[in-house]
Amino acid sequence: MDFNVGDLYVDLRSSVGRRLFLKCEGFNFAGSVKLKAATELVEAMEREKKLAPGATLIESSSGNMGVALSIVAVSRGYRFVCVTDTRCTRAARRVMETLGSEVHVVSEPHPESGFLGARLAYVRELCAADAGYLWLNQYANEGNWMGHYRTTGPEIAKAFPTLDLLFVGAGTTGTLMGCVNYFRENLPSVTVVAVDAAGSVTFGEPPGRRLIPGLGTSVRPAILDTSGVDDVVHVAEEDTIRMCHRLVRHGFLFGGSTGTVVSGALSWMAANGVGDDVTSVAVAPDFGANYLETIYDDEWLASAYGTARQAAWPQPDPIR
């Protein structure tokens, strides 16, 4: 069954004041862009005859990949074990468990490699204890980016044949690498800009505290090849939250990853003098329903960032 449905774009000009088209990847049964990679990862193992009926898949995820793999696994008759951490939203964990997945939550970060390092270590421990576990390893598996090379890249190129600029968030870098490889081979004139979270080590920056799951890593993904990436912009979490709140005032309820990508795209466009004659697209990984208890919750914001910073979040526009 094909769970990848919908290829909707919205023009954010009236919301952010710039001509920026947003590819909304939340319109599928997993609710995020991760369904494309999850499908490719599992289908590749099936093509290689590595999966027997009732096999148990295991993966580390901050949320969206876990949900996507839960859907793919149950639809194909496999068990799925997700190793996540305390930053994963309760909504995402509930969805995984409702779909029949087993969820392990890591509560303490690794002293050097953070929560991702701790999750990966725990996955290795589980696999060592049970040889029946099949680790997909999205951080090193080329199927992660190949799913987007086959789908996301061609979809954008078809919708925008005169595309100039593409902004893609960097988490596991599967979406980024899939788009980079596709456009370098098919439309090399397109400028591809990676958007990363401040505090992420993916592109060589020092590690820092990150509370919003999705983009950024504490361990550099093995599939990342920076040679085809034209530029990188880092976004502070405060700017991510401000953008999410700005967009929701215009009727767009997006997740933190989307807030990061849009904020990074706008700052890059402003810094590089991009005008309305340039066709720009940004990839929105998911919607915001799973984040109502975090980035859209006043108590969480106050607890995570302090009341002084919380006071700086945008307030609703006055009724006209």
Side-chain angles (χ1 to χ4, degrees), residues 26-308:
F27 288 105
N28 60 55
F29 283 92
S32 83
V33 71
K34 292 293 187 178
L35 186 57
K36 296 174 175 179
T39 302
E40 179 66 25
L41 288 168
V42 174
E43 288 184 348
M45 293 192 76
E46 291 177 335
R47 290 193 297 267
E48 296 168 8
K49 308 299 183 183
K50 293 182 178 179
L51 289 179
T56 300
L57 307 174
I58 187 170
E59 184 59 283
S60 157
S61 169
S62 62
N64 281 338
M65 177 60 88
V67 171
L69 282 172
S70 294
I71 290 175
V72 174
V74 72
S75 70
R76 293 170 182 253
Y78 307 125
R79 294 181 58 240
F80 175 58
V81 176
C82 180
V83 176
T84 188
D85 61 62
T86 53
R87 297 170 303 174
C88 178
T89 65
R90 183 172 63 174
R93 295 199 301 268
R94 288 289 304 277
V95 169
M96 286 187 269
E97 291 168 344
T98 299
L99 288 164
S101 298
E102 181 180 326
V103 181
H104 296 254
V105 181
V106 173
S107 59
E108 294 294 331
H110 186 279
E112 296 179 356
S113 54
F115 273 114
L116 177 54
R119 293 194 333 239
L120 294 177
Y122 191 61
V123 169
R124 293 186 181 98
E125 289 178 12
L126 291 178
C127 290
D130 189 338
Y133 283 164
L134 295 172
W135 183 19
L136 296 168
N137 196 1
Q138 60 174 323
Y139 312 94
N141 192 326
E142 292 193 352
N144 188 350
W145 67 259
M146 184 58 72
H148 299 285
Y149 177 88
R150 298 183 193 275
T151 59
T152 310
E155 288 166 0
I156 296 171
K158 180 179 179 181
F160 298 91
T162 60
L163 180 66
D164 299 300
L165 265 173
L166 177 62
F167 297 93
V168 186
T172 64
T173 69
T175 309
L176 175 65
M177 286 293 93
C179 289
V180 164
N181 289 329
Y182 178 83
F183 283 102
R184 290 298 162 260
E185 292 181 14
N186 296 278
L187 291 171
S189 63
V190 174
T191 297
V192 181
V193 179
V195 182
D196 198 8
S200 167
V201 306
T202 301
F203 294 95
E205 297 295 310
R209 187 183 80 148
R210 291 179 295 108
L211 301 179
I212 301 174
L215 300 187
T217 65
S218 53
V219 179
R220 188 180 190 272
I223 61 172
L224 175 63
D225 177 2
T226 61
S227 63
V229 180
D230 293 297
D231 204 355
V232 181
V233 58
H234 288 85
V235 177
E237 286 194 334
E238 289 89 341
D239 292 329
T240 291
I241 294 168
R242 290 189 184 96
M243 183 55 64
C244 287
H245 283 238
R246 180 178 179 181
L247 290 171
V248 83
R249 297 203 317 265
H250 293 272
F252 297 116
L253 180 63
F254 285 114
S257 296
T258 299
T260 302
V261 172
V262 174
S263 180
L266 294 179
S267 64
W268 193 95
M269 293 167 74
N272 289 272
V274 176
D276 283 349
D277 59 327
V278 174
T279 301
S280 304
V281 172
V283 178
D286 64 359
F287 293 131
N290 283 350
Y291 305 89
L292 296 178
E293 296 181 354
T294 54
I295 60 178
Y296 293 104
D297 182 79
D298 288 343
E299 291 185 6
W300 185 87
L301 291 174
S303 173
Y305 300 99
T307 54

